[in-house]
Amino acid sequence: MQIIQVSKNQVENPCETESFCNMKKIDALAWKETLHSLNEKGYAIIPTLFSNDDCEKLSDLYFRDNLYRSTINMQRYRFGKGEYKYFSYPLPEVIQCIRETLYPPLANLANEWMRHLGIEENFPLDHKTLIELCQSKSQLRPTPLILRYETGGFNTLHQDLYGDVYFPFQVVFALSQSGKDFEGGEFVLVEQLPRAQSKAQVINLQKGDAMIFTTNFRPVMGTRGYYRAKIKHGISQLTSGVRFALGIIFHDAR
């Protein structure tokens, strides 16, 4: 098995990392409210985590083909209409830093969720060890990605699991402004409720916002204890314009 090295000393730095990945800024987030929202709704919005300039620089990465391991045309695979690109290792420093900095607070909640649901899974509290766990299961391909939709574009409901090891949370960053750069293109979460119709939530993210959401399910307290409420996500159809987004998935793929 090939072991992939992802240390910060090896990554390319196409952006000024200090601007994007300020540890103090992330530490200062209202984590109590964020984690509460994840528990109650399966998602949490962090408003204006990135500046307008940050978003423009990240969007520009889309056109640097040397940064990517693969490009996916959604129509070809019936995933929707649009295109996304998976970053290759070594990741750009800004992507690596986001991944490592946001992970630890979420790992504690992930382990709490596993205990509630009686699942024998205990996620490591640092991201490097999670990647080593992925590698032990032959999940060697990085999963952070950048997405681009044009008029008529959309993404069907899905889950980003990729293998036996999958972290319960992922993050999307809105890099374009709704109502200015594009119309439509809302983020959609659909939660499967027991013995009932599914519930849809439509979320209109603003440029620079980050949204943390569940990769697969969330624990919900029922009359007989906690049960799994499965959640899928997608993007509604754009009626005009162009929409960019950055996706941070913490586990790697086979």
Side-chain angles (χ1 to χ4, degrees):
M1 179 180 68
Q2 178 187 8
I3 300 298
I4 301 169
Q5 300 297 322
V6 294
S7 68
K8 290 185 182 180
N9 290 333
Q10 294 176 297
V11 295
E12 180 182 357
N13 182 13
C15 305
E16 296 177 4
T17 307
E18 175 114 4
S19 167
F20 287 87
C21 192
N22 188 315
M23 180 77 77
K24 291 182 180 179
K25 185 174 181 180
I26 292 176
D27 285 344
L29 293 176
W31 277 110
K32 182 178 180 180
E33 291 79 2
T34 298
L35 300 180
H36 177 76
S37 181
L38 285 168
N39 274 325
E40 294 299 311
K41 299 186 291 186
Y43 72 92
I45 296 173
I46 304 171
T48 59
L49 187 60
F50 288 156
S51 70
N52 185 72
D53 286 346
D54 291 340
C55 291
E56 294 302 319
K57 289 178 182 178
L58 284 167
S59 296
D60 287 345
L61 296 184
Y62 184 84
F63 303 101
R64 297 188 55 172
D65 290 338
N66 62 308
L67 297 179
Y68 303 101
R69 65 173 174 85
S70 63
T71 299
I72 305 297
N73 181 300
M74 295 185 196
Q75 280 185 288
R76 179 180 178 184
Y77 298 97
R78 302 184 71 181
F79 294 161
K81 184 179 180 182
E83 187 176 82
Y84 56 89
K85 300 180 180 182
Y86 287 109
F87 288 94
S88 60
Y89 278 131
L91 296 173
E93 189 172 351
V94 56
I95 306 300
Q96 182 72 16
C97 187
I98 292 170
R99 230 181 175 197
E100 292 181 353
T101 307
L102 283 174
Y103 176 83
L106 297 174
N108 282 307
L109 183 61
N111 289 330
E112 183 180 312
W113 280 19
M114 297 303 105
R115 290 192 295 271
H116 286 329
L117 293 168
I119 299 173
E120 294 184 4
E121 183 77 68
N122 191 58
F123 293 97
L125 299 183
D126 66 284
H127 187 256
K128 180 182 177 182
T129 307
L130 177 72
I131 294 303
E132 291 172 352
L133 179 61
C134 289
Q135 291 171 351
S136 73
K137 300 294 185 179
S138 299
Q139 294 175 217
L140 306 177
R141 298 186 296 165
T143 50
L145 69 163
I146 194 163
L147 306 98
R148 184 179 188 271
Y149 302 90
E150 297 181 354
T151 301
F154 67 97
N155 196 354
T156 56
L157 294 172
H158 65 283
Q159 296 177 318
D160 300 305
L161 302 180
Y162 299 126
D164 295 333
V165 178
Y166 57 87
F167 190 63
F169 303 109
Q170 61 195 86
V171 190
V172 64
F173 298 86
L175 304 181
S176 304
Q177 180 56 52
S178 173
K180 179 181 178 183
D181 300 320
F182 67 93
E183 299 285 350
E186 296 90 356
F187 195 92
V188 180
L189 287 173
V190 175
E191 183 173 15
Q192 182 179 331
L193 303 176
R195 298 179 297 281
Q197 299 293 330
S198 297
K199 179 179 72 174
Q201 300 181 80
V202 178
I203 301 147
N204 193 8
L205 296 174
Q206 303 303 307
K207 189 174 185 178
D209 289 354
M211 188 174 81
I212 306 169
F213 60 100
T214 177
T215 303
N216 190 358
F217 51 75
R218 71 182 181 98
V220 177
M221 175 60 79
T223 56
R224 300 181 180 179
Y226 284 99
Y227 65 88
R228 304 185 198 187
K230 183 166 286 191
I231 297 177
K232 293 184 177 183
H233 66 276
I235 297 294
S236 70
Q237 190 171 52
L238 268 72
T239 57
S240 66
V242 177
R243 178 187 188 275
F244 286 93
L246 173 68
I248 299 294
I249 299 163
F250 294 98
H251 52 273
D252 280 353
R254 284 204 179 109

